[in-house]
Amino acid sequence: MTVSALSASSQNYLKAVWSLGEWSDEPVTASTVAARTGVKLSTASDAIRKLSEQGLLEHAPYGAVTLTEAGRAHAVAMVRRHRLIEAFLVKVLEYRWDQVHDEAETLEHAVSDFMIDRIAEYLGHPDRDPHGDPIPGADGTVSRPDAVLLTGLGSGRRVRVERISDEDSQLLQFFADHGIGYETVLETRPAAPYSDTIEVVTEEGGTPLPLGRSATDAVWVTPVS
């Protein structure tokens, strides 16, 4: 069975389970799946039960929700669709990076695998989407960078932005307005005492930008030597 044979709802649940565990070590639960998909807990629990019966998920009572091998293959296929569509919208149709997530959420259920392969070929088989998230290969392989949250870094560090979460479109606009995006090189500097912020300056210089926890928790970076 191909991923196209699944309902849009099933596609969403499988993608949600995979995405929740992509950048977090926390166990995926029925509650987090419900929050991710925007449904009631009872609705998510029923969907998880049905997908478990189909051999796509594993879920012990009150335990973590995990993907089976078949479930992972379908989930990664949906993630590949989503992120290639986002890349196409930005690079070809000149969408802003804060505009593409919702569009891709709709289009990913309508496109064929053939179309996705053609998009990948047209774009030169990119390995990252506009936000820095890895684009899975056609064979299901995913190469995630060894990145850490900006939140945990001290001052005096030079880092490269590897990924910015696309969950908050207004935050994406904020970063874009200050010249921060995927692959931007930043230098961290001390912030005001007791401000619970960190200041960053882009490689091009300019005024230091104070970032609070809600911003730094969305940014993943790697060190620059």
Side-chain angles (χ1 to χ4, degrees), residues 163-222:
R163 183 241 183 186
I164 297 181
S165 171
D166 62 359
E167 290 186 16
D168 187 336
S169 61
Q170 291 185 331
L171 182 59
L172 290 175
Q173 291 177 21
F174 171 82
F175 281 129
D177 289 343
H178 290 88
I180 298 175
Y182 167 52
E183 294 191 315
T184 300
V185 175
L186 304 173
E187 179 183 338
T188 62
R189 296 185 178 180
Y194 309 109
S195 65
D196 293 325
T197 63
I198 186 172
E199 288 191 347
V200 298
V201 179
T202 65
E203 197 170 31
E204 289 73 24
T207 304
L209 177 67
L211 298 175
R213 184 70 181 263
S214 61
T216 59
D217 275 355
V219 183
W220 295 75
V221 298
T222 52

Side-chain angles (χ1 to χ4, degrees), residues 117-174:
D117 289 341
R118 291 301 299 269
I119 288 174
E121 182 178 358
Y122 183 84
L123 296 177
H125 299 283
D127 57 5
R128 306 287 276 277
D129 77 4
H131 314 102
D133 279 311
I135 298 176
D139 60 356
T141 57
V142 183
S143 179
R144 198 190 104 169
D146 188 19
V148 297
L149 279 176
L150 181 58
T151 302
L153 296 184
S155 60
R157 304 287 297 273
R158 289 186 75 241
V159 295
R160 176 179 290 105
V161 175
E162 295 289 350
R163 183 241 183 186
I164 297 181
S165 171
D166 62 359
E167 290 186 16
D168 187 336
S169 61
Q170 291 185 331
L171 182 59
L172 290 175
Q173 291 177 21
F174 171 82

